[in-house]
Amino acid sequence: YQYLSRYKRKENLDQFTFHPRNIKGAEKECLACLMEFCGRRDPSWTELSNFTHFLNFQLRKCEQSVFCSSVVGREFHGF
């Protein structure tokens, strides 16, 4: 949700890293955002669960990648 809400507001995600202790937003906002980006008109709880698990997995890999580090980001903006 933290990435999706920032993406929706067209914020720069290159410098953002998720920190579990720094969560913003209410549950209702989170659910609405997930439903918007899920890609299904009326997703089931299983579809939302699969979407969030897949998205979290991909974002964790991205945060751990040397190619997405802040050092590389300074040299190759948006990479």
Side-chain angles (χ1 to χ4, degrees):
Y1 166 71
Q2 301 300 313
Y3 277 95
L4 293 176
S5 63
R6 284 169 173 76
Y7 176 77
K8 186 176 177 178
R9 293 189 304 262
K10 300 184 184 333
E11 292 182 19
N12 183 357
L13 297 174
D14 288 346
Q15 303 301 319
F16 176 73
T17 302
F18 174 72
H19 298 286
R21 295 186 189 109
N22 190 16
I23 297 175
K24 297 179 181 177
E27 290 87 358
K28 189 174 182 178
E29 294 168 346
C30 177
L31 182 57
C33 186
L34 291 174
M35 289 181 72
E36 177 182 346
F37 283 97
C38 181
R40 305 283 300 183
R41 185 178 184 123
D42 188 18
S44 67
W45 285 111
T46 302
E47 290 168 324
L48 282 175
S49 176
N50 289 339
F51 171 69
T52 56
H53 286 295
F54 176 75
L55 184 62
N56 285 334
F57 177 78
Q58 293 297 318
L59 291 171
R60 255 186 260 118
K61 291 292 187 184
C62 181
E63 287 180 348
Q64 295 168 356
S65 171
V66 68
F67 297 107
C68 296
S69 70
S70 60
V71 174
V72 174
R74 274 183 254 137
E75 297 295 321
F76 304 101
H77 180 70
F79 185 69

